[in-house]
Amino acid sequence: MARIRKRRKPVAEMNVVPYIDVMLVLLVIFMVTAPMLNQGVKVDLPKVSSEALPQDNNTQVLTISIKADKTYYWNLGSEVDTDKQQAKALSLPEMTTAVTAIMNQSRSQGKQTQVFIRGDKSVDYGAVMAAMGGLQQAGVGNVGLITEAP
């Protein structure tokens, strides 16, 4: 007696078990390494005196000072001036608006403006970075940081 065999169709389903295993391994690796990424590295920066940058006579210099109480003062002139203050702003948006006006005015006069930031040593890093972000919004593409000799 001959048996009649049924032909089986090929199964068109994807076997996802190996992919699930790989995903679980990657998940474990990322869970283990994620806490290590948040830790910082202690760096002792060298204390050196820096030389003054050469000045171009055709450019204006905008010196922005950040005081310990996170208020902003600035002076616009032909050289870096840390003693005088022309104007002040109590908040970052006020400073950004004022710098935008200064940059637009200097562009309309055909002058280039160099911008330098001078931060008080008790101001945190975030305040200086926020000021740099505000300057970027104001259209400043290049910012210098002013240091004082030890």
Side-chain angles (χ1 to χ4, degrees):
M1 193 177 214
R3 286 182 145 174
I4 301 176
R5 266 191 185 175
K6 281 188 170 180
R7 275 201 158 164
R8 296 180 102 185
K9 288 185 177 181
V11 179
E13 294 176 8
M14 181 188 287
N15 186 5
V16 294
V17 174
Y19 299 113
I20 293 172
D21 292 342
V22 170
M23 290 299 293
L24 287 174
V25 169
L26 288 175
L27 179 67
V28 169
I29 290 172
F30 286 128
M31 287 173 56
V32 169
T33 58
M36 293 179 205
L37 297 176
N38 293 333
Q39 295 176 355
V41 177
K42 185 175 183 260
V43 176
D44 291 328
L45 295 176
K47 291 180 174 45
V48 297
S49 59
S50 59
E51 296 180 15
L53 294 173
Q55 293 290 324
D56 186 3
N57 292 335
N58 297 330
T59 61
Q60 292 180 327
V61 176
L62 177 64
T63 307
I64 298 175
S65 299
I66 305 172
K67 296 284 186 174
D69 58 355
K70 295 183 184 177
T71 56
Y72 304 93
Y73 299 88
W74 59 87
N75 183 26
L76 183 64
S78 59
E79 61 184 23
V80 173
D81 191 358
T82 59
D83 296 328
K84 298 178 189 173
Q85 67 183 40
Q86 282 183 341
K88 79 174 197 173
L90 297 177
S91 68
L92 183 61
E94 291 176 14
M95 190 265 302
T96 303
T97 304
V99 171
T100 303
I102 291 170
M103 295 301 289
N104 289 338
Q105 181 181 8
S106 66
R107 283 189 196 115
S108 66
Q109 294 174 356
K111 293 183 179 180
Q112 287 187 332
T113 304
Q114 290 181 331
V115 180
F116 294 101
I117 295 181
R118 186 176 165 256
D120 192 278
K121 67 179 178 181
S122 61
V123 173
D124 60 354
Y125 180 72
V128 176
M129 292 310 296
M132 291 176 77
L135 290 173
Q136 186 178 19
Q137 289 177 354
V140 176
N142 193 2
V143 177
L145 298 175
I146 296 177
T147 60
E148 293 180 0

